[in-house]
Amino acid sequence: MTTARAGTRPGAAPDLKPYLRLLTVTQFAFNTGFYAVLPYLAAHLGDGLGMAGWLVGLVLGLRTFSQQGLFVVGGALTDRYGPRPVVLAGCVLRIAGFCWLAVAGSTATVIGAVLLIGFAAALFSPAVESETARTAVAHERGTGTPRAQVLAVFSAAGQAGAFLGPLLGSVLLLLGGGFRTACLAGAVVFVGVLAGHARLMPHRPRRVRPAKAGTDRPARLFANRPFLVLCLVFSTYLVSYNQLYLALPEEVERATGSQGALGGLFALSSLLVVVAQLPLTRWSARRIAPRTALVTGLAVVSAGFAAVPLAPDGPAGLLPAASLVVLLTLGQMLLVPAVRGLVPDLVDDQRLGLATGALSSVSGLAVLVGSAATGTLLDTPGPVLWTVLAAVPLAGAALALTLAGGQRTPEPATTVTD
């Protein structure tokens, strides 16, 4: 039986150092500003600007590509110049993008604005995520707090922002401010993030590496077999997670005749993460190895898809869809901190930014291919669709078994102070 750290309640958030608190608050603010705008973008493009449906889809796809597809660029720049200038540049571009989107009225200007917004995230997110992972490892070594537990705080903060952001956007729209006001509110949030990081984020010496040593960096990273396996495993999760936006709406419409209940299901997912992420990760970090958490999480995600054709329709027919959301979210809470915690063990510290970006870019490409494949299955009988979707994370779980197990962190028996 493990002994809890003195002064730490089971399930409580770890006592983070100021820099980790800054990074965590950053993730919360980033998602708050972003999700105050994103949920209403499609309606603004279609209803407000009169764009055709295919053009709305193209604009949204370009935003995703400019973000996920270019994460590897932001990660490489973080390794080269350090996180501070990359984060600050990302904030400036995000502010400019939101302000531009607020006044954009033509197809060309809208596309320019969303590309700028996406590229800003491609700079900002890999820098913050890799720095959080690096600092979490150092925090683990200094205090005994498992890195997965620290990364869970980061994930929960992001989900809290993803939950609060749409509410902020809705309030602004209900008050008559319109989409432009939501964009400007998002820009204001990032002005605050920019000011906070300009003041509090430490300066780090620029890494100057000989040209010969740096030219093969991407090739050496992608020759790292365990890291590539982790990328593929994480890709199966992201392909599955993307079904919240592809297969789940179809299921909700089948069960209820409309997609009106989607908002409540998304809110359920975010609230689960906010409430349960920390205690669940604290338990798993102390008792099971990271690989076990990863495999178990993917198995739970697979069970969520398998439950859809098996669960009886509940009130309003939403029980199968709710079962999927709950199980997928529980699996996510187990596996995402484990994946982020494994990356520093698989790559050199000087390539951590590139690896963090590559993990997202490879997974983003897999989502693009996987979404196209899933789209062709939406008209097939339900049992066929959900069986195929359940097989994807299950294959990822089998692949994850080839990774090294990693070490769970034993519970310290004495109080550790920073």
PDB file of all heavy atoms in Angstrom, residues 5 14-17 20 132-151 285-286 290 341-342 344-345 406-410 412 416 418:
ATOM      1  N   ARG A   5       1.679  11.549  -0.090  1.00  0.00           N
ATOM      2  CA  ARG A   5       2.501  12.673   0.334  1.00  0.00           C
ATOM      3  C   ARG A   5       1.745  13.482   1.366  1.00  0.00           C
ATOM      4  O   ARG A   5       0.563  13.743   1.259  1.00  0.00           O
ATOM      5  CB  ARG A   5       2.816  13.579  -0.872  1.00  0.00           C
ATOM      6  CG  ARG A   5       3.877  13.058  -1.760  1.00  0.00           C
ATOM      7  CD  ARG A   5       4.009  13.910  -2.990  1.00  0.00           C
ATOM      8  NE  ARG A   5       4.166  15.324  -2.651  1.00  0.00           N
ATOM      9  CZ  ARG A   5       4.262  16.274  -3.563  1.00  0.00           C
ATOM     10  NH1 ARG A   5       4.186  15.985  -4.830  1.00  0.00           N
ATOM     11  NH2 ARG A   5       4.407  17.540  -3.189  1.00  0.00           N
ATOM     12  N   PRO A  14      -1.511  18.594  -8.093  1.00  0.00           N
ATOM     13  CA  PRO A  14      -0.193  18.713  -7.491  1.00  0.00           C
ATOM     14  C   PRO A  14       0.179  20.169  -7.266  1.00  0.00           C
ATOM     15  O   PRO A  14      -0.339  21.070  -7.922  1.00  0.00           O
ATOM     16  CB  PRO A  14       0.726  18.067  -8.544  1.00  0.00           C
ATOM     17  CG  PRO A  14      -0.018  18.200  -9.829  1.00  0.00           C
ATOM     18  CD  PRO A  14      -1.462  18.094  -9.476  1.00  0.00           C
ATOM     19  N   ASP A  15       1.079  20.390  -6.313  1.00  0.00           N
ATOM     20  CA  ASP A  15       1.555  21.734  -6.022  1.00  0.00           C
ATOM     21  C   ASP A  15       2.586  22.116  -7.087  1.00  0.00           C
ATOM     22  O   ASP A  15       3.725  21.668  -7.050  1.00  0.00           O
ATOM     23  CB  ASP A  15       2.177  21.759  -4.622  1.00  0.00           C
ATOM     24  CG  ASP A  15       2.616  23.162  -4.226  1.00  0.00           C
ATOM     25  OD1 ASP A  15       2.159  24.123  -4.870  1.00  0.00           O
ATOM     26  OD2 ASP A  15       3.425  23.281  -3.286  1.00  0.00           O
ATOM     27  N   LEU A  16       2.180  22.935  -8.039  1.00  0.00           N
ATOM     28  CA  LEU A  16       3.030  23.241  -9.177  1.00  0.00           C
ATOM     29  C   LEU A  16       3.890  24.461  -8.908  1.00  0.00           C
ATOM     30  O   LEU A  16       3.474  25.404  -8.234  1.00  0.00           O
ATOM     31  CB  LEU A  16       2.174  23.486 -10.424  1.00  0.00           C
ATOM     32  CG  LEU A  16       1.240  22.352 -10.852  1.00  0.00           C
ATOM     33  CD1 LEU A  16       0.514  22.741 -12.125  1.00  0.00           C
ATOM     34  CD2 LEU A  16       2.019  21.060 -11.055  1.00  0.00           C
ATOM     35  N   LYS A  17       5.072  24.448  -9.481  1.00  0.00           N
ATOM     36  CA  LYS A  17       5.929  25.614  -9.418  1.00  0.00           C
ATOM     37  C   LYS A  17       5.349  26.724 -10.290  1.00  0.00           C
ATOM     38  O   LYS A  17       4.532  26.479 -11.185  1.00  0.00           O
ATOM     39  CB  LYS A  17       7.336  25.232  -9.883  1.00  0.00           C
ATOM     40  CG  LYS A  17       8.031  24.269  -8.935  1.00  0.00           C
ATOM     41  CD  LYS A  17       9.447  23.965  -9.405  1.00  0.00           C
ATOM     42  CE  LYS A  17      10.148  23.033  -8.421  1.00  0.00           C
ATOM     43  NZ  LYS A  17      11.522  22.707  -8.846  1.00  0.00           N
ATOM     44  N   LEU A  20       5.226  26.191 -14.132  1.00  0.00           N
ATOM     45  CA  LEU A  20       4.220  25.225 -14.560  1.00  0.00           C
ATOM     46  C   LEU A  20       2.818  25.799 -14.440  1.00  0.00           C
ATOM     47  O   LEU A  20       1.945  25.523 -15.266  1.00  0.00           O
ATOM     48  CB  LEU A  20       4.335  23.937 -13.734  1.00  0.00           C
ATOM     49  CG  LEU A  20       5.366  22.921 -14.222  1.00  0.00           C
ATOM     50  CD1 LEU A  20       5.524  21.795 -13.206  1.00  0.00           C
ATOM     51  CD2 LEU A  20       4.978  22.352 -15.580  1.00  0.00           C
ATOM     52  N   THR A 132       5.996  22.274 -21.406  1.00  0.00           N
ATOM     53  CA  THR A 132       5.284  21.664 -20.274  1.00  0.00           C
ATOM     54  C   THR A 132       5.807  20.263 -20.010  1.00  0.00           C
ATOM     55  O   THR A 132       6.039  19.876 -18.857  1.00  0.00           O
ATOM     56  CB  THR A 132       3.776  21.621 -20.563  1.00  0.00           C
ATOM     57  OG1 THR A 132       3.292  22.948 -20.787  1.00  0.00           O
ATOM     58  CG2 THR A 132       3.026  21.012 -19.390  1.00  0.00           C
ATOM     59  N   ALA A 133       6.004  19.473 -21.075  1.00  0.00           N
ATOM     60  CA  ALA A 133       6.528  18.114 -20.893  1.00  0.00           C
ATOM     61  C   ALA A 133       7.921  18.146 -20.289  1.00  0.00           C
ATOM     62  O   ALA A 133       8.238  17.377 -19.364  1.00  0.00           O
ATOM     63  CB  ALA A 133       6.552  17.390 -22.237  1.00  0.00           C
ATOM     64  N   ARG A 134       8.787  19.034 -20.808  1.00  0.00           N
ATOM     65  CA  ARG A 134      10.153  19.132 -20.287  1.00  0.00           C
ATOM     66  C   ARG A 134      10.145  19.540 -18.814  1.00  0.00           C
ATOM     67  O   ARG A 134      10.877  18.963 -17.979  1.00  0.00           O
ATOM     68  CB  ARG A 134      10.933  20.159 -21.120  1.00  0.00           C
ATOM     69  CG  ARG A 134      12.379  20.331 -20.677  1.00  0.00           C
ATOM     70  CD  ARG A 134      13.091  21.383 -21.507  1.00  0.00           C
ATOM     71  NE  ARG A 134      13.372  20.907 -22.856  1.00  0.00           N
ATOM     72  CZ  ARG A 134      12.771  21.338 -23.957  1.00  0.00           C
ATOM     73  NH1 ARG A 134      11.817  22.258 -23.869  1.00  0.00           N
ATOM     74  NH2 ARG A 134      13.099  20.862 -25.131  1.00  0.00           N
ATOM     75  N   THR A 135       9.313  20.512 -18.465  1.00  0.00           N
ATOM     76  CA  THR A 135       9.266  20.990 -17.089  1.00  0.00           C
ATOM     77  C   THR A 135       8.619  19.957 -16.175  1.00  0.00           C
ATOM     78  O   THR A 135       8.990  19.837 -15.000  1.00  0.00           O
ATOM     79  CB  THR A 135       8.490  22.323 -17.027  1.00  0.00           C
ATOM     80  OG1 THR A 135       9.015  23.220 -18.007  1.00  0.00           O
ATOM     81  CG2 THR A 135       8.635  22.970 -15.665  1.00  0.00           C
ATOM     82  N   ALA A 136       7.646  19.196 -16.710  1.00  0.00           N
ATOM     83  CA  ALA A 136       7.014  18.154 -15.900  1.00  0.00           C
ATOM     84  C   ALA A 136       8.006  17.053 -15.535  1.00  0.00           C
ATOM     85  O   ALA A 136       7.966  16.504 -14.425  1.00  0.00           O
ATOM     86  CB  ALA A 136       5.820  17.561 -16.654  1.00  0.00           C
ATOM     87  N   VAL A 137       8.901  16.718 -16.467  1.00  0.00           N
ATOM     88  CA  VAL A 137       9.931  15.722 -16.178  1.00  0.00           C
ATOM     89  C   VAL A 137      10.863  16.231 -15.083  1.00  0.00           C
ATOM     90  O   VAL A 137      11.196  15.502 -14.135  1.00  0.00           O
ATOM     91  CB  VAL A 137      10.718  15.384 -17.458  1.00  0.00           C
ATOM     92  CG1 VAL A 137      11.929  14.512 -17.123  1.00  0.00           C
ATOM     93  CG2 VAL A 137       9.828  14.667 -18.463  1.00  0.00           C
ATOM     94  N   ALA A 138      11.277  17.488 -15.188  1.00  0.00           N
ATOM     95  CA  ALA A 138      12.142  18.066 -14.153  1.00  0.00           C
ATOM     96  C   ALA A 138      11.418  18.125 -12.810  1.00  0.00           C
ATOM     97  O   ALA A 138      12.012  17.861 -11.752  1.00  0.00           O
ATOM     98  CB  ALA A 138      12.594  19.468 -14.577  1.00  0.00           C
ATOM     99  N   HIS A 139      10.122  18.441 -12.832  1.00  0.00           N
ATOM    100  CA  HIS A 139       9.326  18.491 -11.604  1.00  0.00           C
ATOM    101  C   HIS A 139       9.220  17.103 -10.984  1.00  0.00           C
ATOM    102  O   HIS A 139       9.287  16.954  -9.756  1.00  0.00           O
ATOM    103  CB  HIS A 139       7.935  19.037 -11.949  1.00  0.00           C
ATOM    104  CG  HIS A 139       7.082  19.341 -10.762  1.00  0.00           C
ATOM    105  ND1 HIS A 139       7.308  20.413  -9.923  1.00  0.00           N
ATOM    106  CD2 HIS A 139       5.970  18.708 -10.260  1.00  0.00           C
ATOM    107  CE1 HIS A 139       6.395  20.435  -8.978  1.00  0.00           C
ATOM    108  NE2 HIS A 139       5.575  19.411  -9.157  1.00  0.00           N
ATOM    109  N   GLU A 140       9.080  16.083 -11.810  1.00  0.00           N
ATOM    110  CA  GLU A 140       9.009  14.704 -11.325  1.00  0.00           C
ATOM    111  C   GLU A 140      10.311  14.318 -10.624  1.00  0.00           C
ATOM    112  O   GLU A 140      10.300  13.713  -9.546  1.00  0.00           O
ATOM    113  CB  GLU A 140       8.735  13.770 -12.498  1.00  0.00           C
ATOM    114  CG  GLU A 140       8.701  12.295 -12.134  1.00  0.00           C
ATOM    115  CD  GLU A 140       8.510  11.425 -13.367  1.00  0.00           C
ATOM    116  OE1 GLU A 140       9.460  11.336 -14.184  1.00  0.00           O
ATOM    117  OE2 GLU A 140       7.425  10.850 -13.511  1.00  0.00           O
ATOM    118  N   ARG A 141      11.428  14.668 -11.245  1.00  0.00           N
ATOM    119  CA  ARG A 141      12.729  14.319 -10.651  1.00  0.00           C
ATOM    120  C   ARG A 141      12.975  15.055  -9.339  1.00  0.00           C
ATOM    121  O   ARG A 141      13.608  14.526  -8.430  1.00  0.00           O
ATOM    122  CB  ARG A 141      13.846  14.643 -11.643  1.00  0.00           C
ATOM    123  CG  ARG A 141      13.841  13.740 -12.875  1.00  0.00           C
ATOM    124  CD  ARG A 141      14.789  14.246 -13.935  1.00  0.00           C
ATOM    125  NE  ARG A 141      14.791  13.375 -15.112  1.00  0.00           N
ATOM    126  CZ  ARG A 141      15.304  13.716 -16.287  1.00  0.00           C
ATOM    127  NH1 ARG A 141      15.857  14.916 -16.451  1.00  0.00           N
ATOM    128  NH2 ARG A 141      15.259  12.868 -17.299  1.00  0.00           N
ATOM    129  N   GLY A 142      12.452  16.281  -9.245  1.00  0.00           N
ATOM    130  CA  GLY A 142      12.722  17.075  -8.050  1.00  0.00           C
ATOM    131  C   GLY A 142      11.769  16.832  -6.905  1.00  0.00           C
ATOM    132  O   GLY A 142      12.138  17.032  -5.750  1.00  0.00           O
ATOM    133  N   THR A 143      10.530  16.424  -7.197  1.00  0.00           N
ATOM    134  CA  THR A 143       9.515  16.324  -6.147  1.00  0.00           C
ATOM    135  C   THR A 143       8.909  14.942  -6.006  1.00  0.00           C
ATOM    136  O   THR A 143       8.246  14.668  -5.005  1.00  0.00           O
ATOM    137  CB  THR A 143       8.364  17.312  -6.424  1.00  0.00           C
ATOM    138  OG1 THR A 143       7.649  16.877  -7.589  1.00  0.00           O
ATOM    139  CG2 THR A 143       8.879  18.724  -6.649  1.00  0.00           C
ATOM    140  N   GLY A 144       9.084  14.073  -7.006  1.00  0.00           N
ATOM    141  CA  GLY A 144       8.445  12.764  -6.972  1.00  0.00           C
ATOM    142  C   GLY A 144       7.031  12.765  -7.510  1.00  0.00           C
ATOM    143  O   GLY A 144       6.399  11.705  -7.595  1.00  0.00           O
ATOM    144  N   THR A 145       6.501  13.929  -7.891  1.00  0.00           N
ATOM    145  CA  THR A 145       5.164  13.988  -8.485  1.00  0.00           C
ATOM    146  C   THR A 145       5.222  13.428  -9.900  1.00  0.00           C
ATOM    147  O   THR A 145       6.004  13.927 -10.718  1.00  0.00           O
ATOM    148  CB  THR A 145       4.655  15.441  -8.532  1.00  0.00           C
ATOM    149  OG1 THR A 145       4.613  15.962  -7.205  1.00  0.00           O
ATOM    150  CG2 THR A 145       3.252  15.495  -9.144  1.00  0.00           C
ATOM    151  N   PRO A 146       4.438  12.415 -10.240  1.00  0.00           N
ATOM    152  CA  PRO A 146       4.520  11.830 -11.577  1.00  0.00           C
ATOM    153  C   PRO A 146       4.268  12.872 -12.663  1.00  0.00           C
ATOM    154  O   PRO A 146       3.388  13.722 -12.534  1.00  0.00           O
ATOM    155  CB  PRO A 146       3.404  10.771 -11.571  1.00  0.00           C
ATOM    156  CG  PRO A 146       3.149  10.488 -10.137  1.00  0.00           C
ATOM    157  CD  PRO A 146       3.431  11.748  -9.405  1.00  0.00           C
ATOM    158  N   ARG A 147       5.049  12.786 -13.729  1.00  0.00           N
ATOM    159  CA  ARG A 147       4.870  13.744 -14.824  1.00  0.00           C
ATOM    160  C   ARG A 147       3.463  13.659 -15.420  1.00  0.00           C
ATOM    161  O   ARG A 147       2.912  14.669 -15.858  1.00  0.00           O
ATOM    162  CB  ARG A 147       5.917  13.489 -15.907  1.00  0.00           C
ATOM    163  CG  ARG A 147       5.715  12.218 -16.704  1.00  0.00           C
ATOM    164  CD  ARG A 147       6.836  11.918 -17.656  1.00  0.00           C
ATOM    165  NE  ARG A 147       8.044  11.490 -16.950  1.00  0.00           N
ATOM    166  CZ  ARG A 147       9.124  11.020 -17.567  1.00  0.00           C
ATOM    167  NH1 ARG A 147       9.158  10.918 -18.880  1.00  0.00           N
ATOM    168  NH2 ARG A 147      10.175  10.651 -16.866  1.00  0.00           N
ATOM    169  N   ALA A 148       2.896  12.444 -15.456  1.00  0.00           N
ATOM    170  CA  ALA A 148       1.550  12.289 -16.011  1.00  0.00           C
ATOM    171  C   ALA A 148       0.531  13.083 -15.210  1.00  0.00           C
ATOM    172  O   ALA A 148      -0.433  13.613 -15.756  1.00  0.00           O
ATOM    173  CB  ALA A 148       1.161  10.814 -16.050  1.00  0.00           C
ATOM    174  N   GLN A 149       0.752  13.192 -13.902  1.00  0.00           N
ATOM    175  CA  GLN A 149      -0.183  13.945 -13.070  1.00  0.00           C
ATOM    176  C   GLN A 149      -0.096  15.429 -13.385  1.00  0.00           C
ATOM    177  O   GLN A 149      -1.115  16.125 -13.460  1.00  0.00           O
ATOM    178  CB  GLN A 149       0.133  13.686 -11.596  1.00  0.00           C
ATOM    179  CG  GLN A 149      -0.916  14.231 -10.635  1.00  0.00           C
ATOM    180  CD  GLN A 149      -0.595  13.897  -9.201  1.00  0.00           C
ATOM    181  OE1 GLN A 149       0.126  12.934  -8.935  1.00  0.00           O
ATOM    182  NE2 GLN A 149      -1.111  14.682  -8.276  1.00  0.00           N
ATOM    183  N   VAL A 150       1.124  15.935 -13.595  1.00  0.00           N
ATOM    184  CA  VAL A 150       1.297  17.333 -13.973  1.00  0.00           C
ATOM    185  C   VAL A 150       0.667  17.587 -15.343  1.00  0.00           C
ATOM    186  O   VAL A 150      -0.024  18.588 -15.564  1.00  0.00           O
ATOM    187  CB  VAL A 150       2.786  17.706 -13.981  1.00  0.00           C
ATOM    188  CG1 VAL A 150       2.996  19.119 -14.519  1.00  0.00           C
ATOM    189  CG2 VAL A 150       3.370  17.585 -12.577  1.00  0.00           C
ATOM    190  N   LEU A 151       0.898  16.666 -16.281  1.00  0.00           N
ATOM    191  CA  LEU A 151       0.341  16.823 -17.619  1.00  0.00           C
ATOM    192  C   LEU A 151      -1.180  16.704 -17.606  1.00  0.00           C
ATOM    193  O   LEU A 151      -1.856  17.271 -18.471  1.00  0.00           O
ATOM    194  CB  LEU A 151       0.958  15.790 -18.560  1.00  0.00           C
ATOM    195  CG  LEU A 151       2.459  15.985 -18.815  1.00  0.00           C
ATOM    196  CD1 LEU A 151       3.051  14.785 -19.526  1.00  0.00           C
ATOM    197  CD2 LEU A 151       2.706  17.249 -19.621  1.00  0.00           C
ATOM    198  N   ALA A 285      -1.036   7.023 -12.479  1.00  0.00           N
ATOM    199  CA  ALA A 285       0.402   7.306 -12.443  1.00  0.00           C
ATOM    200  C   ALA A 285       1.095   6.576 -11.309  1.00  0.00           C
ATOM    201  O   ALA A 285       2.272   6.214 -11.409  1.00  0.00           O
ATOM    202  CB  ALA A 285       0.632   8.814 -12.315  1.00  0.00           C
ATOM    203  N   ARG A 286       0.387   6.356 -10.208  1.00  0.00           N
ATOM    204  CA  ARG A 286       0.985   5.679  -9.054  1.00  0.00           C
ATOM    205  C   ARG A 286       0.944   4.162  -9.168  1.00  0.00           C
ATOM    206  O   ARG A 286       1.753   3.469  -8.567  1.00  0.00           O
ATOM    207  CB  ARG A 286       0.251   6.089  -7.767  1.00  0.00           C
ATOM    208  CG  ARG A 286       0.335   7.571  -7.427  1.00  0.00           C
ATOM    209  CD  ARG A 286       1.754   8.029  -7.192  1.00  0.00           C
ATOM    210  NE  ARG A 286       1.804   9.399  -6.689  1.00  0.00           N
ATOM    211  CZ  ARG A 286       2.914  10.102  -6.603  1.00  0.00           C
ATOM    212  NH1 ARG A 286       4.059   9.581  -7.003  1.00  0.00           N
ATOM    213  NH2 ARG A 286       2.889  11.341  -6.137  1.00  0.00           N
ATOM    214  N   PRO A 290       3.134   3.744 -17.766  1.00  0.00           N
ATOM    215  CA  PRO A 290       2.546   4.557 -18.843  1.00  0.00           C
ATOM    216  C   PRO A 290       2.019   3.723 -20.004  1.00  0.00           C
ATOM    217  O   PRO A 290       0.950   4.027 -20.551  1.00  0.00           O
ATOM    218  CB  PRO A 290       3.708   5.457 -19.270  1.00  0.00           C
ATOM    219  CG  PRO A 290       4.550   5.592 -18.045  1.00  0.00           C
ATOM    220  CD  PRO A 290       4.450   4.263 -17.356  1.00  0.00           C
ATOM    221  N   GLY A 341       3.714  12.018 -21.567  1.00  0.00           N
ATOM    222  CA  GLY A 341       4.796  11.677 -20.658  1.00  0.00           C
ATOM    223  C   GLY A 341       5.830  10.746 -21.262  1.00  0.00           C
ATOM    224  O   GLY A 341       6.990  10.742 -20.830  1.00  0.00           O
ATOM    225  N   LEU A 342       5.448   9.951 -22.271  1.00  0.00           N
ATOM    226  CA  LEU A 342       6.398   9.031 -22.902  1.00  0.00           C
ATOM    227  C   LEU A 342       7.324   9.730 -23.892  1.00  0.00           C
ATOM    228  O   LEU A 342       8.454   9.284 -24.103  1.00  0.00           O
ATOM    229  CB  LEU A 342       5.629   7.915 -23.625  1.00  0.00           C
ATOM    230  CG  LEU A 342       5.087   6.785 -22.761  1.00  0.00           C
ATOM    231  CD1 LEU A 342       4.136   5.910 -23.574  1.00  0.00           C
ATOM    232  CD2 LEU A 342       6.220   5.944 -22.185  1.00  0.00           C
ATOM    233  N   PRO A 344       9.216  12.494 -23.846  1.00  0.00           N
ATOM    234  CA  PRO A 344      10.564  12.850 -23.393  1.00  0.00           C
ATOM    235  C   PRO A 344      11.477  11.648 -23.174  1.00  0.00           C
ATOM    236  O   PRO A 344      12.712  11.796 -23.184  1.00  0.00           O
ATOM    237  CB  PRO A 344      10.308  13.597 -22.065  1.00  0.00           C
ATOM    238  CG  PRO A 344       8.908  14.080 -22.163  1.00  0.00           C
ATOM    239  CD  PRO A 344       8.180  13.022 -22.931  1.00  0.00           C
ATOM    240  N   ASP A 345      10.902  10.464 -22.970  1.00  0.00           N
ATOM    241  CA  ASP A 345      11.724   9.264 -22.789  1.00  0.00           C
ATOM    242  C   ASP A 345      12.191   8.674 -24.109  1.00  0.00           C
ATOM    243  O   ASP A 345      13.128   7.872 -24.136  1.00  0.00           O
ATOM    244  CB  ASP A 345      10.930   8.187 -22.030  1.00  0.00           C
ATOM    245  CG  ASP A 345      10.695   8.555 -20.578  1.00  0.00           C
ATOM    246  OD1 ASP A 345      11.441   9.403 -20.042  1.00  0.00           O
ATOM    247  OD2 ASP A 345       9.745   8.015 -19.977  1.00  0.00           O
ATOM    248  N   GLY A 406       7.848   1.861 -19.691  1.00  0.00           N
ATOM    249  CA  GLY A 406       7.983   3.071 -18.893  1.00  0.00           C
ATOM    250  C   GLY A 406       7.880   2.725 -17.418  1.00  0.00           C
ATOM    251  O   GLY A 406       7.559   1.599 -17.030  1.00  0.00           O
ATOM    252  N   GLN A 407       8.146   3.701 -16.579  1.00  0.00           N
ATOM    253  CA  GLN A 407       8.152   3.457 -15.136  1.00  0.00           C
ATOM    254  C   GLN A 407       7.047   4.251 -14.466  1.00  0.00           C
ATOM    255  O   GLN A 407       6.892   5.449 -14.705  1.00  0.00           O
ATOM    256  CB  GLN A 407       9.511   3.870 -14.537  1.00  0.00           C
ATOM    257  CG  GLN A 407      10.682   3.050 -15.063  1.00  0.00           C
ATOM    258  CD  GLN A 407      10.596   1.595 -14.660  1.00  0.00           C
ATOM    259  OE1 GLN A 407      10.237   1.279 -13.531  1.00  0.00           O
ATOM    260  NE2 GLN A 407      10.927   0.707 -15.584  1.00  0.00           N
ATOM    261  N   ARG A 408       6.277   3.563 -13.639  1.00  0.00           N
ATOM    262  CA  ARG A 408       5.352   4.327 -12.807  1.00  0.00           C
ATOM    263  C   ARG A 408       6.137   4.930 -11.653  1.00  0.00           C
ATOM    264  O   ARG A 408       7.171   4.396 -11.221  1.00  0.00           O
ATOM    265  CB  ARG A 408       4.219   3.438 -12.288  1.00  0.00           C
ATOM    266  CG  ARG A 408       4.643   2.362 -11.303  1.00  0.00           C
ATOM    267  CD  ARG A 408       3.408   1.558 -10.872  1.00  0.00           C
ATOM    268  NE  ARG A 408       3.761   0.505  -9.929  1.00  0.00           N
ATOM    269  CZ  ARG A 408       3.782   0.654  -8.623  1.00  0.00           C
ATOM    270  NH1 ARG A 408       3.499   1.832  -8.099  1.00  0.00           N
ATOM    271  NH2 ARG A 408       4.093  -0.344  -7.830  1.00  0.00           N
ATOM    272  N   THR A 409       5.659   6.043 -11.147  1.00  0.00           N
ATOM    273  CA  THR A 409       6.376   6.755 -10.092  1.00  0.00           C
ATOM    274  C   THR A 409       5.860   6.327  -8.738  1.00  0.00           C
ATOM    275  O   THR A 409       4.667   6.445  -8.464  1.00  0.00           O
ATOM    276  CB  THR A 409       6.190   8.272 -10.246  1.00  0.00           C
ATOM    277  OG1 THR A 409       6.604   8.631 -11.560  1.00  0.00           O
ATOM    278  CG2 THR A 409       7.003   9.025  -9.221  1.00  0.00           C
ATOM    279  N   PRO A 410       6.729   5.769  -7.857  1.00  0.00           N
ATOM    280  CA  PRO A 410       6.256   5.364  -6.536  1.00  0.00           C
ATOM    281  C   PRO A 410       5.857   6.566  -5.703  1.00  0.00           C
ATOM    282  O   PRO A 410       6.415   7.646  -5.840  1.00  0.00           O
ATOM    283  CB  PRO A 410       7.471   4.648  -5.929  1.00  0.00           C
ATOM    284  CG  PRO A 410       8.641   5.238  -6.636  1.00  0.00           C
ATOM    285  CD  PRO A 410       8.184   5.553  -8.020  1.00  0.00           C
ATOM    286  N   PRO A 412       5.993   8.941  -2.794  1.00  0.00           N
ATOM    287  CA  PRO A 412       6.948   9.236  -1.733  1.00  0.00           C
ATOM    288  C   PRO A 412       6.286   9.138  -0.367  1.00  0.00           C
ATOM    289  O   PRO A 412       5.120   9.487  -0.224  1.00  0.00           O
ATOM    290  CB  PRO A 412       7.393  10.662  -2.028  1.00  0.00           C
ATOM    291  CG  PRO A 412       6.693  11.117  -3.251  1.00  0.00           C
ATOM    292  CD  PRO A 412       5.719  10.071  -3.643  1.00  0.00           C
ATOM    293  N   VAL A 416       7.614  16.413   0.351  1.00  0.00           N
ATOM    294  CA  VAL A 416       8.652  17.002  -0.499  1.00  0.00           C
ATOM    295  C   VAL A 416       8.270  18.442  -0.745  1.00  0.00           C
ATOM    296  O   VAL A 416       7.155  18.749  -1.166  1.00  0.00           O
ATOM    297  CB  VAL A 416       8.747  16.258  -1.849  1.00  0.00           C
ATOM    298  CG1 VAL A 416       9.812  16.888  -2.721  1.00  0.00           C
ATOM    299  CG2 VAL A 416       9.064  14.788  -1.619  1.00  0.00           C
ATOM    300  N   ASP A 418       9.129  22.232  -2.590  1.00  0.00           N
ATOM    301  CA  ASP A 418       9.811  22.790  -3.750  1.00  0.00           C
ATOM    302  C   ASP A 418      10.895  23.765  -3.300  1.00  0.00           C
ATOM    303  O   ASP A 418      10.725  24.451  -2.326  1.00  0.00           O
ATOM    304  CB  ASP A 418       8.810  23.547  -4.637  1.00  0.00           C
ATOM    305  CG  ASP A 418       7.812  22.573  -5.255  1.00  0.00           C
ATOM    306  OD1 ASP A 418       8.087  21.363  -5.208  1.00  0.00           O
ATOM    307  OD2 ASP A 418       6.775  23.036  -5.741  1.00  0.00           O
TER     308      ASP A 418
END
